[in-house]
Amino acid sequence: MNARIAPLVASLDPDAIARSGRTVIATEAAAIRALEARVDASFVHACGLILACRGRLVVTGMGKSGHVGRKIAATLASTGTPSFFVHPGEASHGDLGMIQPDDVVLALSNSGETDELLFILPVIKRQGIPLIAITGNPKSSLAHQADAHLDASISSEACPLGLAPTASTTAALVMGDALAIALLEARGFTAEDFARSHPAGSLGRRLLLHISDIMHTGEGVPTVAPNASLTEALMEMTRKHLGMTAVVDAERCLLGVFTDGDLRRALDDEDVDLRGASVEALMTRGPKTITSDKLAIEAAQLMEKHQIHALLVVDEQQRVVGALNIHDLLRARVV
C-alpha cells in the first residue's frame, strides 16, 4: 500500500517555505560546527591506522550511511588513499572476500547498531583488521568495537519529524572529508597526483597535457628561409594555418618569426619595399618560444601574458621542432 501523499496546496506561503529552508541550513551548519571539537586523539589514531595500512581502506555502511560511505570512498580514492565501498548486506553473502588482512575498515552507522554491520564485525575482528567507526552514538556497539571511533553525533535532525537522515548524514560526510584531506596533507599529495586520477577532467588536461601532445610537427610547421620573399612567407602561412611562420637557417635554427602583425606593420610603413624586401627584413627577432616538455597550460599562460596567439616550439639548440596556436589549446580544452 502506497504511503499517503498530501494533496497539492492551492497557494503556497513563500515566507514559510524560505523559513523552512533556512532552518535546515542553520541546523546542519550547527551540526558541522560541533564536529570541530571532536577532531581529537581518536581522529589522529584513525589517520595513523590508515597511513600504516598496506592494503586498502574498505568503507561500508547501510542505507543513507551507505550512500555517504560511497562518496567518502570516492573522495579518499581520488586523494591518495586507495579505497572502495562494500555493501554490508552483500558482504554477508560472499563480498567479505573482498576484505583482506592488510586492509582497514571504515564503518558508518548513525545509530551504531546496524544489524548488517554488526553481523560481519566478528569476521573482520577475527582477521585482525583495524576498524574505524563513524557513528552518532559513542556508546553504541559499533563504537565500542572500533579501534578508533569518530563521533558524528548531532543534537537534532533538520527534518521536523526527526526521522529523515539530514544533519546526521551531513555530519558523517564532513567527518569523512576531514579524514580524506588530513590524509592528503599527511601524504604530501599534490595537484599533479590528483590530476593523474582525473585524466579526463579539466584539471587533468591542465596538469598532464604537454606541448608535445598537441603541437604541429614535421611538414605541419610553417618555416621559410631568411631570404624568402614576402609572397613566399604569406603562402607558407596560408598553407599551414597557424597565422605565422618561423624564419630558420639551413639547420632549422630559429632566426625570427613573421606573423600577421608583422605584415600589418609592413603595410603601414611607407619606407618598406613590399616587392623587394626579404622576410628577414620584416620578421620579429627573438620571438617567444617554448619547449616540447612543458605543460600545455604553460603555453596558454605565455600567450596570455604577451598577448600573442601562436608559439614556436624549439629544442635546446634553438632548432624549430614544432608550433601551436590558441586554437590548438582550445581544441585540447586547455583553455
Side-chain angles (χ1 to χ4, degrees):
M1 182 170 146
N2 292 331
R4 184 176 63 86
I5 300 175
L8 291 175
V9 180
S11 60
L12 299 176
D13 183 345
D15 292 336
I17 290 175
R19 187 165 55 251
S20 177
R22 295 190 190 103
T23 299
V24 170
I25 294 171
T27 301
E28 299 203 12
I32 293 171
R33 282 193 298 270
L35 293 178
E36 189 174 355
R38 301 180 202 149
V39 178
D40 51 16
S42 187
F43 182 91
V44 175
H45 182 45
C47 289
L49 290 173
I50 298 169
L51 289 169
C53 176
R54 292 180 297 172
R56 293 166 296 178
L57 181 61
V58 182
V59 184
T60 187
M62 195 72 186
K64 300 299 185 294
S65 292
H67 295 312
V68 172
R70 289 181 188 276
K71 192 276 177 185
I72 292 173
T75 299
L76 287 160
S78 69
T79 52
T81 300
S83 179
F84 66 96
F85 179 83
V86 170
H87 190 285
E90 298 296 334
S92 300
H93 296 276
D95 283 4
L96 264 177
M98 300 169 69
I99 306 175
Q100 297 298 307
D102 287 338
D103 296 337
V104 172
V105 170
L106 172 62
L108 286 80
S109 170
N110 184 43
S111 68
E113 302 293 346
T114 304
D115 290 338
E116 290 84 355
L117 284 175
L118 297 180
F119 190 76
I120 64 174
L121 285 189
V123 180
I124 293 171
K125 302 295 284 186
R126 193 156 49 241
Q127 294 184 73
I129 297 171
L131 173 65
I132 302 167
I134 298 178
T135 81
N137 183 3
K139 297 180 179 180
S140 64
S141 302
L142 182 59
H144 282 306
Q145 294 195 52
D147 296 285
H149 174 251
L150 305 183
D151 183 1
S153 59
I154 59 169
S155 58
S156 64
E157 295 284 10
C159 168
L161 302 176
L163 298 175
T166 46
S168 59
T169 49
T170 299
L173 179 60
V174 171
M175 188 64 83
D177 285 343
L179 265 181
I181 301 309
L183 292 166
L184 174 152
E185 294 185 346
R187 295 181 192 280
F189 195 79
T190 66
E192 287 76 12
D193 295 323
F194 188 86
R196 275 189 281 274
S197 61
H198 298 75
S202 59
L203 179 62
R205 288 190 294 273
R206 289 167 65 89
L207 295 180
L208 297 180
L209 197 66
H210 287 80
I211 299 295
S212 57
D213 297 321
I214 61 173
M215 71 182 189
H216 299 266
T217 59
E219 292 299 317
V221 182
T223 58
V224 294
N227 60 354
S229 67
L230 177 59
T231 299
E232 290 172 323
L234 291 175
M235 290 299 296
E236 180 70 353
M237 291 169 61
T238 301
R239 283 192 294 268
K240 305 301 171 62
H241 307 291
L242 292 180
M244 56 90 176
T245 182
V247 182
V248 299
D249 63 15
E251 302 297 324
R252 289 185 69 86
C253 289
L254 182 64
L255 302 175
V257 65
F258 182 75
T259 68
D260 293 333
D262 293 312
L263 175 61
R264 288 192 296 271
R265 285 187 286 274
L267 291 172
D268 196 44
D269 190 342
E270 295 180 353
D271 296 329
V272 174
D273 178 10
L274 294 177
R275 290 182 178 274
S278 67
V279 71
E280 185 176 23
L282 305 174
M283 71 182 184
T284 296
R285 298 178 184 274
K288 303 300 177 186
T289 61
I290 198 165
T291 54
S292 62
D293 61 324
K294 299 294 185 183
L295 293 171
I297 188 62
E298 294 181 75
Q301 292 166 345
L302 193 60
M303 290 183 191
E304 181 179 5
K305 179 180 179 180
H306 297 284
Q307 296 295 295
I308 55 179
H309 298 91
L311 279 173
L312 292 168
V313 185
V314 298
D315 62 13
E316 293 179 355
Q317 287 74 43
Q318 290 297 298
R319 290 180 299 224
V320 176
V321 295
L324 74 159
N325 64 10
I326 189 65
H327 298 294
D328 298 311
L329 297 174
L330 286 168
R331 278 191 292 270
R333 293 189 290 175
V334 174
V335 295

